[in-house]
Amino acid sequence: MASIKRLPQPLLSNYDWQVDGACRNSDPNEFFAGDAERGNRRLSRDERAKAMCRECPVLKNCFEHAMAVREPYGVWGATTPEERELIRMGRGTHAVGEAV
């Protein structure tokens, strides 16, 4: 379970960037794996989600949020949980090519 201590205070200004997200009106299931989702099905869904992220005006905000709160689920800022963990460990790069 994720620790909520890392979450920003519940102030509108901390989350207002989400209003401009390309995913705002999308099906959340496109960004979060189902319990039994594995293999090519999961890879395909992740790639569709990341493609939407790459066109998003708040990509950087989303990525920074996911990293700050150590988001353990879903595609955020064009990265999967596994990719974010590699970045935290210094062994990965952000999806748009920026080393983090």
Side-chain angles (χ1 to χ4, degrees):
M1 180 187 229
S3 171
I4 63 170
K5 292 178 183 176
R6 292 186 294 261
L7 293 174
Q9 294 298 313
L11 304 172
L12 182 58
S13 61
N14 290 334
Y15 295 94
D16 61 355
W17 58 269
Q18 293 180 351
V19 172
D20 296 322
C23 63
R24 180 133 172 97
N25 296 314
S26 298
D27 181 354
N29 292 324
E30 284 297 312
F31 295 86
F32 296 90
D35 291 337
E37 188 181 58
R38 302 281 185 274
N40 287 337
R41 179 178 247 170
R42 182 173 185 165
L43 290 173
S44 293
R45 186 199 39 75
D46 283 346
E47 285 307 314
R48 286 191 310 272
K50 290 193 292 187
M52 183 180 293
C53 292
R54 288 184 199 106
E55 301 297 321
C56 184
V58 295
L59 170 65
K60 184 177 178 190
N61 303 82
C62 185
F63 172 73
E64 289 173 352
H65 169 79
M67 293 299 288
V69 303
R70 299 180 75 98
E71 179 57 58
Y73 304 106
V75 173
W76 290 77
T79 58
T80 64
E82 297 80 14
E83 291 166 340
R84 291 190 296 275
E85 185 58 29
L86 288 173
I87 292 167
R88 274 192 280 285
M89 295 172 19
R91 298 184 357 210
T93 59
H94 184 258
V96 293
E98 299 172 355
V100 179

